[in-house]
Amino acid sequence: QVQLVESGGGLVQAGGSLRLSCAASGRTLSDYAMGWFRQAPGKEREFIGTLRWRDGTTYYTDSVKGRFTISRDNAKNTVYLQMNNLKPADTAVYYCAAALAILFPAPERNRYPYWGQGTQVTVSS
């Protein structure tokens, strides 16, 4: 089992920044890839990007490249999603998830057996 707890969501103006955190515990995290997803009201859960814990390699969907960055802190067992130049279209509940590292980059939701509870991000115009 991998337990995931997100934090850091909130309300921000367009053009602003937020950093989300995902604290992980449980199994050896080097065996996993950590993904970030988001879900806006009335829409399907959307893949944002992943980080392979073992070596820090990242992969992003095209819509967030250059604005969002995923990183990790090994000592804290925490993965981060830094979001810059936020837009109202980025408003959603953001989730972190864990998939087996062998499946990296794993953009498909069904690759992830472990999920956090989600954190709300609201971007005002």
Side-chain angles (χ1 to χ4, degrees):
Q1 287 278 51
V2 177
Q3 292 80 41
L4 303 170
V5 179
E6 300 103 332
S7 61
L11 174 65
V12 63
Q13 288 189 330
S17 298
L18 274 178
R19 189 179 77 161
L20 306 183
S21 301
C22 175
S25 61
R27 293 186 175 178
T28 303
L29 295 178
S30 60
D31 293 337
Y32 290 89
M34 307 302 292
W36 284 96
F37 290 75
R38 65 185 178 186
Q39 189 166 17
K43 295 188 176 181
E44 293 191 356
R45 196 166 297 188
E46 174 190 20
F47 172 78
I48 296 172
T50 48
L51 177 142
R52 187 165 56 198
W53 196 281
R54 172 170 48 85
D55 59 7
T57 300
T58 54
Y59 174 88
Y60 301 95
T61 191
D62 287 345
S63 64
V64 304
K65 282 181 182 176
R67 295 194 302 127
F68 291 10
T69 303
I70 302 173
S71 62
R72 75 192 187 309
D73 184 327
N74 286 324
K76 295 182 178 180
N77 283 350
T78 299
V79 64
Y80 302 100
L81 177 65
Q82 177 68 44
M83 305 184 292
N84 298 327
N85 190 21
L86 283 161
K87 306 173 182 181
D90 295 316
T91 295
V93 177
Y94 284 70
Y95 299 89
C96 67
L100 291 175
I102 195 172
L103 300 173
F104 180 87
E108 304 90 354
R109 282 182 55 187
N110 61 8
R111 301 285 191 174
Y112 294 82
Y114 305 111
W115 291 83
Q117 82 285 358
T119 186
Q120 175 71 46
V121 171
T122 303
V123 184
S124 62
S125 57

